[in-house]
Amino acid sequence: MSPATRTIRSGNPSLDDTLLGIHLGDNVVWQVNELEDYRIFAQPFAAQAIRDGFACVYVRFAAHAPILTPQPGLEIIELDPSAGFDPFCSRLHRVIEERGRECHFVFDNISDLVAEWATDELLANFFQVTCPFLFELDTVAFFGLKLGNHQDRAVARIRDTTQILINVYRVGGQKFFHALKVWDRYSSKMFLPHLVSNDGLSPVIFSGEAAAVVARARREPLRLGSESIAPWESIYRRLLQYEGMNEAQLSSDPEFVLLRQEFALMLLGAHPRFMQLVEEYLGLDDLFEIRRRVVGSGRIGGKALGMLLARSILRRHLGPEEYDRIMESHDSFYVGSDVFYTFLVNNDLFRLRLQLTQGESVSHAEFEEIEERFLRGSFPPEVMAQFENMLDYFGQAPIIVRSSSLLEDSFGNAFAGKYRSEFCVNQGTPEQRLETFLRCVRLVYASALNPDALSYRRKRGLAESDEQMALLIQRVSGAPYKRSFFPTLAGVAFSKNLYAWSDRIDRTKGFIRLVFGLGTRAVDRTSSDYPRLISVSHPDLRPEVGNAIARYSQREVDLLDLDGGALVTRTARVVLGGFDYPNQDLFVSLMKDGFVSDPTSLFIDSDADSLVLTFNNLIKRTNFVSLVGRILEVIEKAYCIPLDVEFTAFIGPDREIRINLVQCRPMNLPGTEGVVVDIPREFPEDRVLFRAHRLVCGGVVPEIRYALYIDPLAYANLPHAEEKRGVGRLVGRINRHPSVQHGKCMMLGPGRWGTSHIDLGVSVSYSDINNTSVLVEMALEEAGHAPEVSYGTHFFQDLVESQIIYLPVYPSDTRDQFHARFFSESPNCLTRLLPDAGAYESMVRLIDVEEAAPGFVIQLAADPQAQRAVCFLRPSGLPPS
């Protein structure tokens, strides 16, 4: 024992003698058969602590009878574990921190936490994050734990973490005390079984007697061995008796109904609207199939659930025969959410996550260091074994590791693009494939702490919500082609068309963003590339006409390089230049004499430079669009809310289309349903700042104080890429400035906000623009900033969910109007707010309307039904128009 170690009295002298004293910093876990066996040690401990002048806290959270009763000097803190692991641990950590050093704690039986959290894994996680914190503060804490009720691996983790672990059990009407672990001290009798009597603890020193006691003890309460009675295991085993039975006939069996509900809750979550869909569309056999594909334990998350529900809805309403004909099957796996917490705890990352989710900010540079810590993390042996089995199942087929957090793809919280998805090309030896897969998992886990995800959670009031990261492991849809792997078609489809570029388009019939190859190019704002935009009601109508069709088409293809083992981008002309890709005539057209012409036969006699990806023949000659439209209609009717789906599609030899639905999520579309926006008509034209006619979402923003304007020509003329990246960083600083956050802001910038190609627009992330009220894209083609409406991308999802009105403005279009003089000549307050930003003052203009137009505010009114928007100066004393 270190000379600096201080011992305290437990209130039981015999216990103190047996353990050579209890030290400050000790956590003492009592594994007991009966709660009374814990109480007889905890009560004298608390009484002694109060007598000796220590602060003493009873942490009350369980449904069982109290361990301690109220008494002078005892503080009782009540916590609610039903709020979830995160809120419970956060509150407890605050309690521990506030009580300070050398406080004495008595906890309820922590086995009761399993009743709320469903798995032993979370119980072990709780202990492994709480015990070290108590140790650091030199506290002494007693914990009760039900003997024999938990999986061996969970008890092993608790044992590895605690300083003292004691079993108390009953054999033949007698009570025995048996220390299994006592850290940093030893005696020759310490680890013998001790008889508990009124005289104290007496060691059982005869081997025959000790053997009899221990053997009988193991036959009784420990007969379960590693078979936990935690609901994750026990409910599953109890439900297995109903497998294959008629579920309709079982609906009158109250035990079955209750077990099924509990099984669904711990596997799929508790969101009321999702649970209604689960109850209607997922049967017991479906739940069993999900459970058999879960690695570890815990919930499968929102993305996985959305995909499964959408498929079940389609099977129910289309019928099994039609469903099997038009839908590709899936064989996904799910990494349970508990594995994420175990990874955090085992790799000393949980407290870092706690700090960041509770408000500490992190820059993108700092996040790279966090990511490196995650990449060094390890997994428990039992999880590694399941990972290896899963990879054996997939063989060398490419897979993708996708985030599927508890809040992701939920009603109102899409988290679109906030967490990572990592392609795993899955080539090489089993060892190489496993290591590559583990790297993908670690990167997706790390993305839970990336600045955009944390900013999104805080902005939407989700910082304190129980957000666990499950994973969805999917087979990549597609086929190999010349040592590459990719699907023929991929994209995102919306059940409502908010971007109606013609009056003929029915906005209720849906909208598709379609690409050739992997769907990453459909959901990300990439380089100078354009997906095909398809209105389900009028698929032949394009936003572009004439020569513009070739200009605004897809030029590059994302695919998996089987030899290089990576996601790569190739030009469409390189990929398709051999003219031997199956059914190529359905999605390519040819440029001839400045015009686009569609192939009239399977044989294409041309050169690669003339290829244009239009998908014209796919639209004209197959049922692709009507098929996607029907899928959207069926799922939306079940969800009772607009939604979007991500998909891939395969074209068979007979040109039949088969769809693989990989994701489905509900959407909130502000300003589009039942909202009438009154656009004022009577006001001086010199007060109009701009008009727009290509709208996606709408609403009214009555009092905008700041207008951030980035001059398109000045931005285009910046000679160095780093200078353009500096503009993006400056936008983020302006967005986070307290004055801008307090007063509403409108941002106007060149080309595509959020693009990864800095020559085509301002490269910003969600956390750089999340405080703005209006985001305007200036399509100034002479500066190289071509229009590309972001509808359907992850970037667009961010704007919709944050209630940010998005407007593309085309100054060269006679139907639009732009007051260039106001934005270029109004006083610039940039250096007043950010004194060190002078280098950008000629290009980045921050206009304070109180200074530029005293007595006025900026108002924006956008009506997506009428496809009209106007931004104007309104006298500040008048009510909003």
Side-chain angles (χ1 to χ4, degrees):
M1 184 174 66
S2 168
T5 300
R6 288 180 55 198
T7 60
I8 60 95
R9 294 186 293 174
S10 70
N12 186 323
S14 185
L15 175 63
D16 296 340
D17 291 341
T18 302
L19 300 179
L20 300 183
I22 293 178
H23 299 171
L24 289 175
D26 280 348
N27 291 275
V28 185
V29 176
W30 298 85
Q31 291 198 105
V32 297
N33 287 331
E34 305 291 339
L35 196 62
E36 181 59 26
D37 296 342
Y38 173 44
R39 190 177 285 115
I40 63 172
F41 290 98
Q43 288 180 347
F45 165 72
Q48 188 68 50
I50 295 170
R51 286 195 297 270
D52 290 344
F54 291 100
C56 188
V57 176
Y58 172 34
V59 181
R60 179 83 170 119
F61 53 80
H64 61 62
I67 302 299
L68 304 178
T69 56
Q71 57 188 287
L74 177 67
E75 181 182 12
I76 300 177
I77 299 292
E78 295 189 358
L79 301 179
D80 180 13
S82 67
F85 182 93
D86 259 356
F88 183 83
C89 288
S90 298
R91 172 73 175 121
L92 178 58
H93 273 236
R94 286 195 293 270
V95 169
I96 295 170
E97 188 173 29
E98 290 166 2
R99 273 54 184 183
R101 306 186 70 82
E102 301 188 3
C103 184
H104 288 35
F105 290 90
V106 174
F107 288 75
D108 272 345
N109 178 11
I110 60 175
S111 294
D112 276 32
L113 294 174
V114 175
E116 294 292 343
W117 298 340
T119 68
D120 285 339
E121 201 73 6
L122 282 188
L123 172 62
N125 287 344
F126 157 77
F127 192 82
Q128 208 165 345
V129 298
T130 304
C131 175
F133 193 33
L134 292 164
F135 178 83
E136 290 174 12
L137 294 176
D138 281 338
T139 69
V140 181
F142 275 28
F143 300 83
L145 186 69
K146 187 71 172 175
L147 183 61
N149 276 22
H150 303 286
Q151 292 178 328
D152 288 347
R153 66 174 181 265
V155 177
R157 289 175 59 197
I158 293 173
R159 175 175 179 156
D160 289 343
T161 307
T162 193
Q163 285 71 45
I164 300 176
L165 177 64
I166 299 166
N167 282 358
V168 181
Y169 47 79
R170 301 185 182 194
V171 176
Q174 294 181 303
K175 190 179 302 178
F176 292 88
F177 166 106
H178 193 170
L180 302 181
K181 176 184 178 181
V182 182
W183 180 69
D184 199 31
R185 72 216 81 158
Y186 173 78
S187 77
S188 59
K189 299 178 182 179
M190 183 180 287
F191 298 102
L192 294 175
H194 287 64
L195 176 66
V196 181
S197 69
N198 293 333
D199 297 325
L201 305 178
S202 305
V204 181
I205 58 176
F206 296 104
S207 60
E209 184 180 353
V213 168
V214 176
R216 286 193 61 188
R218 291 188 63 85
R219 279 200 306 269
E220 293 179 355
L222 301 181
R223 64 186 182 277
L224 294 174
S226 63
E227 294 185 354
S228 169
I229 65 165
W232 175 259
E233 297 291 345
S234 64
I235 290 179
Y236 172 59
R237 292 198 303 269
R238 291 168 66 188
L239 271 174
L240 283 174
Q241 66 179 307
Y242 298 104
E243 189 172 14
M245 298 176 66
N246 187 316
E247 200 166 340
Q249 294 178 356
L250 293 171
S251 61
S252 60
D253 182 340
E255 180 185 19
F256 169 78
V257 172
L258 181 60
L259 286 173
R260 186 193 185 283
Q261 289 175 346
E262 291 184 10
F263 188 46
L265 284 171
M266 66 187 185
L267 189 63
L268 306 177
H271 193 290
R273 295 182 70 179
F274 270 134
M275 284 301 98
Q276 290 175 2
L277 293 170
V278 167
E279 186 69 26
E280 184 171 357
Y281 291 103
L282 292 182
L284 184 60
D285 288 343
D286 297 317
L287 298 181
F288 281 150
E289 181 63 22
I290 296 168
R291 172 67 172 76
R292 291 177 181 125
R293 289 179 169 267
V294 174
V295 173
S297 62
R299 293 171 176 172
I300 65 172
K303 185 175 293 179
L305 177 56
M307 180 269 294
L308 292 167
L309 278 173
R311 286 177 167 275
S312 294
I313 290 167
L314 290 171
R315 176 173 285 277
R316 170 78 60 82
H317 292 289
L318 298 179
E321 184 177 343
E322 183 179 3
Y323 176 89
D324 291 340
R325 189 179 75 251
I326 67 175
M327 298 293 294
E328 285 190 351
S329 61
H330 85 100
D331 56 354
S332 305
F333 287 80
Y334 321 95
V335 180
S337 55
D338 290 356
V339 179
F340 172 62
Y341 274 141
T342 304
F343 180 84
L344 295 179
V345 172
N346 285 353
N347 295 287
D348 196 25
L349 292 164
F350 184 84
R351 289 179 66 180
L352 170 66
R353 178 176 180 269
L354 204 60
Q355 292 165 1
L356 295 180
T357 55
Q358 289 180 346
E360 289 190 23
S361 60
V362 58
S363 68
H364 288 276
E366 290 170 330
F367 174 65
E368 292 179 4
E369 298 178 8
I370 293 172
E371 211 168 43
E372 286 300 318
R373 288 184 60 182
F374 272 78
L375 287 172
R376 294 192 293 269
S378 62
F379 293 89
E382 62 272 13
V383 171
M384 290 291 290
Q386 290 182 300
F387 282 160
E388 290 169 358
N389 291 337
M390 184 188 67
L391 291 178
D392 286 343
Y393 170 90
F394 281 120
Q396 290 182 283
I399 57 177
I400 182 170
V401 181
R402 310 186 73 191
S403 65
S404 182
S405 78
L406 298 195
L407 299 176
E408 197 170 359
D409 286 1
S410 184
F411 286 83
N413 303 306
F415 281 82
K418 296 297 169 295
Y419 301 137
R420 293 180 75 144
S421 292
E422 289 290 319
F423 284 101
C424 186
V425 184
N426 203 24
Q427 306 297 295
T429 66
E431 293 78 16
Q432 290 170 331
R433 289 189 280 121
L434 177 61
E435 188 53 44
T436 301
F437 171 76
L438 293 176
R439 176 179 173 83
C440 293
V441 172
R442 293 172 183 130
L443 287 173
V444 177
Y445 277 174
S447 69
L449 299 185
N450 84 66
D452 281 353
L454 296 175
S455 176
Y456 179 93
R457 288 182 62 183
R458 295 186 192 111
K459 187 74 174 180
R460 302 189 64 76
L462 302 172
E464 297 294 329
S465 298
D466 192 23
E467 173 66 328
Q468 304 174 37
M469 178 66 77
L471 301 177
L472 171 61
I473 315 296
Q474 292 177 304
R475 184 187 297 270
V476 177
S477 181
Y481 175 72
K482 296 181 178 179
R483 300 306 300 158
S484 298
F485 191 96
F486 56 91
T488 302
L489 306 171
V492 57
F494 286 71
S495 64
K496 291 287 185 286
N497 185 355
L498 305 187
Y499 179 48
W501 52 87
S502 167
D503 293 339
R504 295 163 58 192
I505 290 174
D506 184 348
R507 299 164 66 89
T508 69
K509 295 297 183 182
F511 172 88
I512 305 168
R513 285 174 68 95
L514 183 66
V515 297
F516 174 71
L518 295 171
T520 45
R521 303 196 78 76
V523 297
D524 295 333
R525 305 204 83 183
T526 53
S527 56
S528 53
D529 219 18
Y530 303 86
R532 173 67 193 265
L533 306 183
I534 303 172
S535 166
V536 172
S537 70
H538 291 77
D540 290 334
L541 290 179
R542 297 188 60 128
E544 316 85 11
V545 294
N547 294 338
I549 291 176
R551 181 176 180 183
Y552 299 128
S553 65
Q554 181 185 352
R555 294 179 173 85
E556 297 181 321
V557 181
D558 284 353
L559 48 83
L560 299 180
D561 181 351
L562 296 177
D563 294 327
L567 169 66
V568 298
T569 300
R570 302 275 188 262
T571 66
R573 290 172 179 174
V574 167
V575 175
L576 297 172
F579 294 98
D580 58 354
Y581 189 86
N583 297 302
Q584 187 167 326
D585 62 301
L586 291 181
F587 44 86
V588 301
S589 297
L590 305 174
M591 282 294 296
K592 187 175 182 180
D593 300 327
F595 292 94
V596 173
S597 63
D598 301 329
T600 56
S601 68
L602 295 177
F603 177 72
I604 301 176
D605 183 15
S606 184
D607 60 88
D609 290 340
S610 67
L611 285 179
V612 181
L613 281 168
T614 63
F615 307 96
N616 284 350
N617 282 340
L618 176 78
I619 293 170
K620 295 175 183 176
R621 301 178 182 176
T622 75
N623 66 339
F624 168 74
V625 175
S626 61
L627 184 59
V628 173
R630 188 175 182 204
I631 287 171
L632 293 171
E633 183 180 7
V634 169
I635 303 174
E636 184 190 60
K637 186 176 181 180
Y639 266 73
C640 300
I641 190 174
L643 51 86
D644 74 88
V645 300
E646 292 182 22
F647 66 90
T648 63
F650 170 75
I651 306 174
D654 55 359
R655 302 212 168 196
E656 286 292 316
I657 306 295
R658 300 193 72 184
I659 302 292
N660 182 21
L661 198 65
V662 299
Q663 186 170 343
C664 176
R665 61 186 162 220
M667 280 196 67
N668 289 321
L669 303 177
T672 62
E673 296 293 325
V675 176
V676 177
V677 178
D678 184 21
I679 296 183
R681 300 178 181 274
E682 302 298 329
F683 52 84
E685 281 298 308
D686 60 357
R687 293 186 192 167
V688 176
L689 302 184
F690 64 79
R691 297 181 188 274
H693 74 283
R694 301 189 189 185
L695 277 63
V696 176
C697 54
V700 175
V701 185
E703 295 184 359
I704 300 171
R705 176 172 175 179
Y706 293 97
L708 171 64
Y709 173 69
I710 301 173
D711 185 282
L713 287 174
Y715 181 84
N717 291 330
L718 284 175
H720 303 296
E722 183 56 33
E723 292 178 283
K724 291 182 177 178
R725 280 190 282 268
V727 173
R729 290 191 292 268
L730 179 60
V731 169
R733 292 180 60 197
I734 294 169
N735 176 70
R736 290 184 286 273
H737 194 282
S739 296
V740 175
Q741 291 187 38
H742 180 70
K744 290 178 182 174
C745 179
M746 172 175 64
M747 295 184 179
L748 304 91
R752 309 180 191 180
W753 287 100
T755 180
S756 59
H757 195 301
I758 57 175
D759 290 331
L760 299 179
V762 184
S763 182
V764 293
S765 65
Y766 170 78
S767 59
D768 295 322
I769 53 91
N770 65 338
N771 290 316
T772 191
S773 298
V774 182
L775 195 70
V776 178
E777 293 189 343
M778 306 290 297
L780 199 62
E781 296 195 45
E782 61 265 34
H785 303 132
E788 198 274 317
V789 174
S790 69
Y791 179 40
T793 64
H794 288 158
F795 184 80
F796 173 76
Q797 300 272 39
D798 288 338
L799 304 184
V800 167
E801 292 193 336
S802 298
Q803 306 286 305
I804 297 172
I805 294 179
Y806 159 74
L807 296 171
V809 174
Y810 300 75
S812 58
D813 191 318
T814 56
R815 291 173 295 176
D816 282 6
Q817 180 179 343
F818 185 72
H819 194 332
R821 184 175 176 182
F822 174 84
F823 293 103
S824 61
E825 297 184 6
S826 293
N828 189 353
C829 70
L830 177 65
T831 54
R832 173 162 60 83
L833 270 62
L834 299 173
D836 61 344
Y840 292 97
E841 196 170 16
S842 62
M843 178 195 337
V844 179
R845 306 187 61 79
L846 184 60
I847 301 168
D848 184 344
V849 181
E850 291 186 0
E851 181 181 357
F856 288 88
V857 294
I858 293 176
Q859 177 171 322
L860 178 109
D863 183 355
Q865 307 299 328
Q867 288 288 287
R868 291 189 302 119
V870 61
C871 180
F872 59 96
L873 292 171
R874 173 178 62 80
S876 57
L878 296 179
S881 302

